[in-house]
Amino acid sequence: MREKKGLHFLKRRGIIEIIGISTVVVIWQLVASFIVKKTYLLPSPYEVFFAFYTVREVIPIDIYISLLHFGIGLGAGTAVGITLGALMGGFKLVDRAMDPIMEILRAIPPIAWIPFAIIWLKLTHYSAGFVVFVGAIFPILINTYTGFKSVDKIYIDAAKVLGCKKGMSLIKSVVLPYSLPYIAAGTRIGMGIGWMCVVAAEMFGASGRVGLGWRLWNRFYALHMMDKLVAYMIIIGLIALLLDRVFRYFVEETTLKWRKGMVAA
Amino acid sequence: MNHQLELRNVTKAFNTEEGKMGALEGISLVVKPKEFLCIIGPSGCGKTTLLRLIAGLDYPSSGEIILDGKEVKGPSPDRGMVFQEFSLFPWRTVLKNVEFGLEIKGMKDKARKELAERYIELVGLKGFENCYPYELSGGMKQRVAIARALATEPAILLMDEPFGSVDAQTRNILQEELLEIWKRTKKTILFVTHSVDEAVYLADRVAVMSARPGCLIKCLSIDIPRPRKRTSVEVNEFREQLLMLLSLERSKACISV
Ligand SMILES: Nc1ncnc2c1ncn2[C@@H]1O[C@H](COP(=O)(O)OP(=O)(O)OP(=O)(O)O)[C@@H](O)[C@H]1O
Ligand SMILES: [Mg+2]
């Protein structure tokens, strides 16, 4: 189909996207400054921009701390999730023994663990990390389990005929590589949930007076500095986006070349 | 060790929801070392089942499978198998697929790579070493599977309709390559096929199976010297014989239904 010549430049990469974002920002600015007219109810983009500037000194340390909490939780969640998922996927007995417990634990929202996180781990980085762990572990566990369960029998047979004896070597050379896309997809979901948990746990002060979530709630909200609050919301969102992109890039370009698009959105 | 394979009254029944279902019945067969044996029979007659039993991936319900005087108790790299369906590991490149069995053996990196490359060249896929299976055509995949099965240097090669998914032209080429490999590597080959032409062109001996539950109805020695001409009179005679055996079998199956 032929398009009108005048609209042709729109096809170039990024143009439409920039127009989309700018439109939203302009409407937001107009609504904020001509209709709402109260920073408390709706800070304008202009004010938010300045808020970034005024809080610029605490942003890096807050990001660092939150990423630390996230890293602790995701690291533990990945390690334990893959191990348990593999055990449950590999051994019927373990599966039957653990399944009911896992189903119940999984149904409890991670946020509900914040009190125990604080009581068990005190106000350390580990306690926010623990909440992230609870949030991230289940998607990773379940996906690993699914991957282990769905290995095509033909690959197992092929490996056996080529000399792979039962057990560890079969898991290492067939089941694990087969399950990698599943594990990656689970990890990606776990990362999304884990990042929400970081913010929530920090809001409750699970790790003391640190982190993006803590400042957002206990400083900006408590003091009604809504412009700064919005600035932090944007930071939190951008980091989530960035984490996801980096993960996808890493996984798809390096480990999963053989199965393009498997972990794509 | 002369790698003589012997099947003694092998029977296989599967447990299904409708009860026991016979797949193989009283198969007795001696395969001589370095023999090229084709197995032919109607779809569902138990050809794949038979190869799986010999490979050690499954066990007979009764009877025994003897290799070198010992009963087959499980899979081993001395019996390579090329599966009917695609069985390449999709997460490994062509080279890594062929190296798989050698890795399990614990062969060193360099020797492993060299050997794998040799077999890749043998099946005519030089230059595709670093491709992933999804980048290959059906016929190429089967050739990699053959290279992978050959790489561990099994004495017996079990091939389950390996050329089922390729066009006639490629099929002819692959058949010739296989005969070449067979001559050079001196293996025993058990080759399952649907195709009478293929069986007559390749085999020293053709085993004809009946419809389910499969039993051997005839073993036919194809004593035509190689290289065979696909259209020669003798070839045609054998072809006719086999077709007749199979069509008899089919009408018998119809009567018994
Ligand atoms: N694991 C199994 N469980 C139950 N029945 C099975 C199983 N494997 C095979 N069968 C049955 O055994 C019979 C023989 O199957 P097999 O796959 O050996 O046939 P085949 O001769 O290889 O057929 P084709 O030429 O179509 O590949 C079939 O009727 C099939 O339904
Ligand atoms: Mg079959």
Side-chain angles (χ1 to χ4, degrees), chain B residues 44 46-49 84 160-161 192 194:
Chain B
K47 304 183 292 293
T48 298
T49 307
Q84 187 170 9
D160 196 354
E161 295 185 39
V192 165
H194 269 139

Side-chain angles (χ1 to χ4, degrees), chain A residues 153 155 157 163 177 258 260, chain B residues 52 79 88 90-91 104 132 134:
Chain A
K153 201 168 168 301
Y155 300 132
D157 285 347
W258 59 275
K260 285 187 184 136
Chain B
R52 288 178 59 84
R79 276 156 286 136
L88 295 184
W91 57 89
I104 303 289
Y132 283 92
Y134 77 90

Side-chain angles (χ1 to χ4, degrees), chain A residues 69-136:
Chain A
H69 296 163
F70 178 73
I72 292 171
L74 187 73
T78 313
V80 180
I82 292 175
T83 312
L84 284 182
L87 287 173
M88 288 174 69
F91 302 97
K92 258 251 156 56
L93 220 65
V94 183
D95 185 12
R96 282 181 51 192
M98 306 239 316
D99 187 59
I101 306 169
M102 286 301 154
E103 285 298 303
I104 294 168
L105 288 180
R106 189 160 76 94
I108 303 170
I111 315 295
W113 285 94
I114 293 176
F116 270 113
I118 296 174
I119 288 171
W120 288 341
L121 298 162
K122 310 292 183 293
L123 301 181
T124 61
H125 295 312
Y126 295 106
S127 84
F130 176 76
V131 181
V132 175
F133 166 78
V134 175

